[in-house]
Amino acid sequence: MSPTTQTTVGIGGAAESTDMVLNIGPQHPSTHGVLRLKLVLDGERIVRAEPVIGYMHRGAEKLFEARDYRQIIMLANRHDWLSAFSNELGVVLAVERMLGMEVPERAVWTRTLLAELNRVLNHLMFLGSYPLELGGITPVFYAFREREVLQNVMEEVSGGRMHYMFNRVGGLKEDLPAGWTTRARAAVAAVRSRMDVFDDLVLGNEIFRGRTRGVGALAPEAVHAYGVSGPIARGSGVDFDLRRDEPYLAYGELQDTLKVVTRSEGDCLARFEVLLAQTHNALDLADACLDRIAQLAPGPINQRLPKVLKAPEGHTYAWTENPLGINGYYLVSKGEKTPYRLKLRSASYNNIQALTELLPGTLVADMVAILGSMFFVVGDIDK
């Protein structure tokens, strides 16, 4: 047998004994941003896969060290641009833990409500874009219709459509507008009434099921090895959700409503089913939060802070169950008004590394189906 050589090619063929190195990205419609996949192919079958990251690296962790505890919220807000409220939440929880600060009950429940609305917004984007990547254009229009309904109430309360900047150390920026809870409840009901579009139009589609069932199966062992979390991990049968297993905010009181959905297959279809089930449950959690907020007596929405906020010397770690998985902040303070070190653990960074296990042995035609089912945001990888 003749020795195998490796040749990097752009367009065109090569000798039969040559492995082709194919670059998917960094500019490619299926990569959700500037992600590059370096694939080694044997014919149409993938032999090796290497995610090449860093094209969107912003140096946010270093910038944290030059911003005070109010300003770092803006930097934390932006790495997963589909989960901005949840990103803010993690960093303010870390600072509050360092300060030993108790947050008003009204702020706790409102934060929980807005985090679940943000979860629905995140999931709707992927519920629409994933079928689009497989050739189904219709679901994305429905997804954006539902997103607009929820974006309207999020914009009303915070002033922002994507980067809400509504969390503050000690609570939230301000109280809810008059009548907002009624409008929010109506928005949740409207979205829930139309979610069967994704149950029927997508999951009921034979072509979609044919492209995703049994494709890209991720073993639970690989989930643990790579630190995969969120819907992707639960799609492989890993039953872990911080909202249930280490409750924060008001999740400890929502255990009867919170449902952690898992699937055992670990394939693309299982990951999509988990994402869809989580969306349904997030709408139920939002309703439960609205019910509780209606019962609360009027009160403050935040704590009064000194003009210069300094965290005491020490370190802490705060993590949250973000829409895409576990988001964690390791905060080290020297007693100054800026963090000495703030390390961000983002969900997409770990999740995307599992592609080195998922892609080898599969066909190039299935690569887009597998990549889309990883539900990642490139800014969340590169930070």
Side-chain angles (χ1 to χ4, degrees), residues 20-211:
M20 178 189 294
V21 179
L22 180 66
N23 285 293
I24 304 294
Q27 304 292 343
H28 194 274
S30 70
T31 57
H32 292 262
V34 282
L35 172 71
R36 175 183 164 208
L37 288 179
K38 184 180 178 182
L39 306 179
V40 178
L41 306 179
D42 180 9
E44 292 189 27
R45 197 164 294 278
I46 298 171
V47 178
R48 290 195 303 278
E50 177 190 355
V52 183
I53 65 174
Y55 291 92
M56 287 195 67
H57 180 59
R58 299 179 294 117
E61 290 182 355
K62 197 64 183 174
L63 290 171
F64 284 143
E65 300 169 15
R67 305 290 191 274
D68 67 33
Y69 288 106
R70 293 179 174 90
Q71 294 169 329
I72 61 174
I73 298 173
M74 181 274 294
L75 292 170
N77 175 287
R78 282 161 165 72
H79 57 91
D80 174 2
W81 48 76
L82 298 177
S83 311
F85 186 87
S86 300
N87 299 342
E88 302 168 15
L89 196 55
V91 72
V92 297
L93 289 175
V95 178
E96 288 162 4
R97 186 173 297 177
M98 288 287 286
L99 293 168
M101 179 181 291
E102 288 288 332
V103 176
E105 186 180 19
R106 189 172 185 80
V108 170
W109 281 97
T110 306
R111 280 177 171 179
T112 310
L113 166 63
L114 296 176
E116 290 306 312
L117 292 178
N118 195 195
R119 192 180 309 277
V120 177
L121 284 167
N122 174 288
H123 290 355
L124 281 170
M125 177 63 81
F126 290 105
L127 292 174
S129 67
Y130 185 43
L132 180 64
E133 290 164 4
L134 298 179
I137 192 172
T138 307
V140 74
F141 295 115
Y142 289 104
F144 269 84
R145 179 185 66 179
E146 310 313 331
R147 276 176 55 85
E148 282 299 310
V149 173
L150 294 177
Q151 286 282 34
N152 288 340
V153 295
M154 292 292 282
E155 182 180 14
E156 182 185 355
V157 74
S158 69
R161 288 184 62 80
M162 285 189 68
H163 301 295
Y164 306 109
M165 286 301 296
F166 199 55
N167 277 288
R168 297 291 186 272
V169 176
L172 293 168
K173 177 186 174 184
E174 57 196 10
D175 208 343
L176 302 173
W180 182 86
T181 54
T182 302
R183 293 185 288 277
R185 193 183 295 276
V188 169
V191 172
R192 181 189 287 109
S193 70
R194 297 193 289 256
M195 283 300 294
D196 60 343
V197 165
F198 301 99
D199 293 298
D200 302 334
L201 187 65
V202 182
L203 282 182
N205 185 285
E206 292 182 10
I207 299 174
F208 179 82
R209 299 183 75 87
R211 289 291 307 276

